[in-house]
């Protein structure tokens, strides 16, 4: 999923939550999801007061938002991916 226009940080964070919730409703496990975030969205996610400390974790060099792996994307637009289990 790609956004077609810039969004405010709070709107973007709510979109990320919605992407995760929609995928879960479709039966995708959070371990099989990945958020590829633009540097702007990643910075907003880390700094936004609308994100609670419980929503973001860092373990073994991996950042997770609501249990979904977050990766800094090399693109201007953030995307959501469903990884195919190996």
């Amino acid at each position: 999923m790609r956004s077609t226009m810039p969004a405010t940080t709070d709107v973007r964070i709510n979109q990320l939550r919605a992407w995760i919730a929609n995928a879960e409703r479709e039966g995708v496990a959070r371990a099989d999801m990945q958020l590829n975030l633009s540097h702007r969205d990643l910075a907003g996610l880390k700094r936004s007061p609308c994100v609670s400390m419980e929503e973001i974790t860092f373990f073994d060099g991996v950042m997770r938002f609501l249990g979904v792996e977050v990766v800094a994307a090399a693109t201007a637009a953030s995307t959501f991916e469903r990884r195919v289990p190996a």
Side-chain angles (χ1 to χ4, degrees):
M1 296 180 197
R2 288 192 188 268
S3 173
T4 56
M5 55 190 283
T8 66
T9 300
D10 291 354
V11 169
R12 172 65 75 213
I13 291 167
N14 285 330
Q15 287 175 335
L16 299 177
R17 289 179 178 126
W19 289 351
I20 294 166
N22 289 340
E24 271 194 317
R25 277 193 292 279
E26 293 175 10
V28 180
R30 290 183 186 199
D32 296 330
M33 299 179 202
Q34 186 176 61
L35 290 167
N36 299 299
L37 300 185
S38 67
H39 291 286
R40 178 182 176 184
D41 287 344
L42 184 57
L45 184 64
K46 289 178 181 179
R47 295 184 181 129
S48 176
C50 81
V51 176
S52 70
M53 290 179 63
E54 293 80 24
E55 291 181 296
I56 294 180
T57 58
F58 295 90
F59 185 73
D60 281 342
V62 176
M63 178 182 172
R64 294 187 184 278
F65 175 61
L66 297 173
V68 175
E69 183 178 359
V70 176
V71 176
T75 62
S78 294
T79 61
F80 173 82
E81 290 184 16
R82 297 173 191 186
R83 295 185 292 186
V84 178

